[in-house]
Amino acid sequence: MEKQSLPPLPMVHSDLDEYGLDPYEFRIYAHIVRRTGGNLDGECFAKLKKTAEICHMSVRKAQYALKTLCDAGLIIKEQRKGKSDIYRLMPKSNWKPKKELKQIRQNIKESQKEETALTVTTTGSTTPGVFFQPLIFNGDNQIIIL
């Protein structure tokens, strides 16, 4: 019986393997590598929801992972109004030192907490945040509550 030759399995370089990515970040990075063909000039432009689905994680986990990868310099994001964002791989020379990864994640969590705390609604909706009445300042810097 003749053996079928299989395509070579991908190799994960030790620099990436030992960089310290969590499983979600690593999975998203692997997906972007596949979508770009592993080329620095390649583009990954799948919708966030589809990327999360393919990578078997929530959209929120995918967002955090993408933000971490961008902030750590492993990928770059090009925002396109009305279209999905484009992600590109960055050369290792752009990667921040792995010892900074913990602080990068912490900064992302803190910025997310701030964004949630600053969400303001002037309706009775269930949007996360605090309910505020519209405020108007008069000429004496006194607040007028409507």
Side-chain angles (χ1 to χ4, degrees):
M1 177 174 246
E2 187 178 321
K3 287 186 178 180
Q4 289 183 332
S5 63
L6 297 173
L9 294 175
M11 156 118 171
V12 176
H13 195 278
S14 62
D15 289 340
L16 177 62
D17 191 35
E18 297 172 5
Y19 188 71
L21 298 178
D22 72 20
Y24 298 103
E25 296 157 357
F26 190 88
R27 180 64 185 98
I28 290 286
Y29 187 78
H31 178 71
I32 293 171
V33 169
R34 181 182 70 82
R35 295 292 300 255
T36 62
N39 299 312
L40 294 178
D41 59 349
E43 297 179 344
C44 173
F45 50 87
K47 293 186 179 193
L48 181 62
K49 185 177 178 182
K50 185 65 175 174
T51 297
E53 181 183 309
I54 289 169
C55 294
H56 300 284
M57 65 182 73
S58 68
V59 170
R60 175 67 71 201
K61 285 284 190 186
Q63 288 172 321
Y64 279 123
L66 286 165
K67 178 75 171 136
T68 301
L69 293 169
C70 285
D71 289 0
L74 278 76
I75 62 173
I76 191 166
K77 172 182 169 180
E78 176 187 330
Q79 290 183 309
R80 301 187 305 169
K81 192 170 183 154
K83 296 181 180 180
S84 57
D85 298 330
I86 294 176
Y87 294 93
R88 291 185 179 86
L89 300 173
M90 296 302 291
K92 186 173 181 306
S93 60
N94 285 40
W95 296 11
K96 292 190 177 168
K98 66 181 179 180
K99 64 184 177 193
E100 294 180 22
L101 201 51
K102 186 176 180 179
Q103 186 61 49
I104 289 168
R105 288 188 191 109
Q106 187 63 37
N107 292 345
I108 292 169
K109 284 183 181 180
E110 288 173 8
S111 70
Q112 291 300 321
K113 286 179 187 175
E114 289 173 13
E115 286 179 24
T116 301
L118 292 175
T119 302
V120 176
T121 180
T122 56
T123 67
S125 74
T126 57
T127 303
V130 180
F131 182 82
F132 287 105
Q133 289 287 344
L135 301 177
I136 298 177
F137 290 89
N138 66 14
D140 297 325
N141 284 331
Q142 295 173 331
I143 300 174
I144 301 170
I145 299 176
L146 301 177

